[in-house]
Amino acid sequence: MPGFTTDPAVEPICRRLDGLPLAIELAAPWLRVLSPQQLLDRCHTLLTDGPHDSPARQRTLDATLNWSYELLDARQRTLFANLAVFVGGCTEAAAAAVCDATLGELASLVDLSLLTVSGQRFGMLETVHDYATRLDDSSPDRHAAYFLDLVEHIELVGPGELDHRETLDRERANIHRAIGHAVAARDVSACMTFARRLWRYRPLNAWLPTIVDVVGEDPELCLWAGMVARSRDDHPLAKKLFHTCIAACDATLWNTRVAAEHNLGVTYFEEGDYQRAAELERAALAAARSVNSGYGVPFGLVSLGDVEWAMGDLAAARACYREGLTLFEQLGHNAGISHAQTGLGRVALRCGDTAEAAERYRAGLAAGGDPVFAVECLETLADLVGPAEATDLRARAAVLREDDETL
């Protein structure tokens, strides 16, 4: 209707209530005494109070769900409550491992509209999940153990990294809960596993400083936490953690020490101290070569390439990126390939070779693995191609920026 507008809180209220007609009907009377924003902030009230002129089982969502719950047999009630341990749904395998659920039992709850199914995942509407959570008195240990085991098999470096990132994206909320359980229990072993496997995964790596508090100044943990702090632009904390790591490394941890020195150089680079960054990166690269550090050498090369490019030595930068690209391709490291190709694109662009620059940026985009370089490739390519393709490239870059608040 022309000129018709709604309060900005109306759409979030409907989402919070899963779009359920009964839930919205129960919410409406509260608008006599609450603003839409106040109603959004207090939606939980709908589960405990409601209009008194409705049938008894429909006076509140709680009463409606109680009525449905009473229709379940004992096993269904237990399973329904225990499935609330999952956040954001689960697979059939997870439900079986954590709740001893069979496919038939899950299907019976779907038939009763207490579970939803989408693709290969089972879940609950948010209002139903809130209700089930209050019934669940099971231990979260099995849930935490299941997702700890899942994370132990995650590899974010190498040919399978894209598939593993998709797994983490699907199970992010469940893993977040499992990490919280490990931290609360001060389970050092579990915390180290989560840190080791997830520090490269930004949506879950904010836990790293808390895990350091649980585990202590373990050299590898300080390295991972330092890289997380650097990625979040907390350079003072990053430098402190890298120095702690370097000081704690003994003769058996040369690769860890090299990585810390390399990342210390990157931190200075990001602060704009190119001279100090170059000194650190050259020293770290020499150390990596001396101990034949598998990933240390190519990472050191592309990082030194960044410094050389920033200081205007394009020949040196090109040499670093090319050697780094060769090594990353041998390792099958997608993010590293993207970094090296993007660097070569920068060099070509500054040299005025727009054709090579476009080719390099397309290769960097195709490699995937790192949204930072993907955005740079998309946005730079948009300046090098025709209007129609440029519009599409900028739209794709905008989506990536929207998905990651740091870009």
Side-chain angles (χ1 to χ4, degrees):
M1 181 183 298
F4 177 77
T5 60
T6 60
D7 189 283
V10 170
E11 185 178 346
I13 288 171
C14 292
R15 287 200 304 267
R16 174 66 179 82
L17 299 175
D18 300 313
L20 296 174
L22 173 60
I24 295 170
E25 180 183 343
L26 291 170
W30 290 101
L31 291 172
R32 293 194 296 264
V33 293
L34 297 173
S35 71
Q37 183 59 49
Q38 289 173 322
L39 180 58
L40 176 62
D41 295 338
R42 299 170 62 181
C43 274
H44 67 276
T45 303
L46 300 176
L47 297 177
T48 57
D49 201 1
H52 297 288
D53 56 354
S54 301
R57 73 179 180 86
Q58 293 186 352
R59 286 180 187 162
T60 67
L61 287 175
D62 225 21
T64 301
L65 290 168
N66 276 333
W67 181 80
S68 298
Y69 180 73
E70 291 300 324
L71 297 178
L72 303 179
D73 62 33
R75 170 56 187 159
Q76 288 175 317
R77 292 181 186 182
T78 299
L79 178 58
F80 171 63
N82 290 352
L83 285 169
V85 73
F86 293 102
V87 187
C90 64
T91 62
E92 177 191 349
V98 176
C99 303
D100 300 317
T102 66
L103 181 58
E105 289 172 334
L106 294 170
S108 72
L109 294 178
V110 172
D111 290 341
L112 294 167
S113 300
L114 292 174
L115 282 185
T116 61
V117 61
S118 177
Q120 299 181 17
R121 293 186 71 80
F122 294 90
M124 295 180 183
L125 296 175
E126 187 172 350
T127 45
V128 176
H129 187 266
D130 288 346
Y131 175 87
T133 297
R134 287 177 282 130
L135 301 172
D136 182 24
D137 61 358
S138 64
S139 167
D141 290 350
R142 291 179 69 181
H143 175 275
Y146 178 85
F147 287 100
L148 175 63
D149 181 70
L150 182 147
V151 166
E152 281 184 318
H153 294 87
I154 290 293
E155 292 287 352
L156 294 180
V157 173
E161 67 178 278
L162 296 181
D163 289 340
H164 287 181
R165 284 185 182 275
E166 290 177 1
T167 297
L168 293 177
D169 289 343
R170 286 193 299 270
E171 300 295 357
R172 184 188 307 175
N174 281 310
I175 296 169
H176 188 277
R177 177 168 188 172
I179 295 171
H181 179 75
V183 168
R186 302 192 72 80
D187 185 333
V188 171
S189 176
C191 283
M192 281 295 290
T193 296
F194 284 124
R196 179 180 298 106
R197 297 298 184 183
L198 299 177
W199 67 264
R200 293 181 178 89
Y201 183 67
R202 184 175 180 83
L204 288 172
N205 67 16
W207 278 102
L208 264 292
T210 304
I211 290 176
V212 172
D213 292 338
V214 173
V215 175
E217 295 182 349
D218 177 89
E220 290 188 313
L221 180 57
C222 287
L223 170 63
W224 304 326
M227 286 189 278
V228 170
R230 181 179 63 76
S231 73
R232 295 175 182 273
D233 296 326
D234 190 344
H235 292 145
L237 176 59
K239 288 192 284 190
K240 175 185 176 182
L241 287 164
F242 292 140
H243 281 298
T244 300
C245 172
I246 292 168
C249 285
D250 58 26
T252 66
L253 293 173
W254 266 105
N255 284 336
T256 302
R257 181 187 180 94
V258 166
E261 291 172 342
H262 153 65
N263 277 277
L264 190 57
V266 175
T267 306
Y268 278 102
F269 171 76
E270 291 174 348
E271 291 183 325
D273 189 344
Y274 299 146
Q275 192 61 46
R276 179 63 176 143
E279 293 170 0
L280 288 165
E281 290 298 349
R282 289 175 185 137
L285 178 57
R289 290 189 192 278
S290 71
V291 296
N292 195 28
S293 176
Y295 286 101
V297 174
F299 274 117
L301 283 164
V302 294
S303 294
L304 182 56
D306 291 342
V307 179
E308 300 287 13
W309 179 85
M311 294 194 299
D313 191 339
L314 301 185
R318 182 186 289 110
C320 287
Y321 289 135
R322 282 179 173 171
E323 185 182 354
L325 175 61
T326 298
L327 295 175
F328 277 130
E329 287 177 336
Q330 292 171 358
L331 293 167
H333 191 287
N334 292 322
I337 293 170
S338 182
H339 187 164
Q341 292 283 21
T342 303
L344 287 167
R346 293 175 195 150
V347 172
L349 195 59
R350 188 172 286 185
C351 291
D353 189 340
T354 56
E356 182 186 351
E359 180 182 346
R360 293 294 187 180
Y361 282 119
R362 290 188 191 281
L365 184 61
D370 193 321
V372 172
F373 296 114
V375 167
E376 181 179 346
C377 291
L378 287 165
E379 293 179 340
T380 308
L381 269 174
D383 295 330
L384 301 175
V385 299
E389 186 181 2
T391 299
D392 175 65
L393 292 170
R394 290 194 177 97
R396 290 165 62 188
V399 170
L400 286 176
R401 286 189 179 278
E402 185 177 343
D403 289 343
D404 190 329
E405 71 280 4
T406 67
L407 296 175

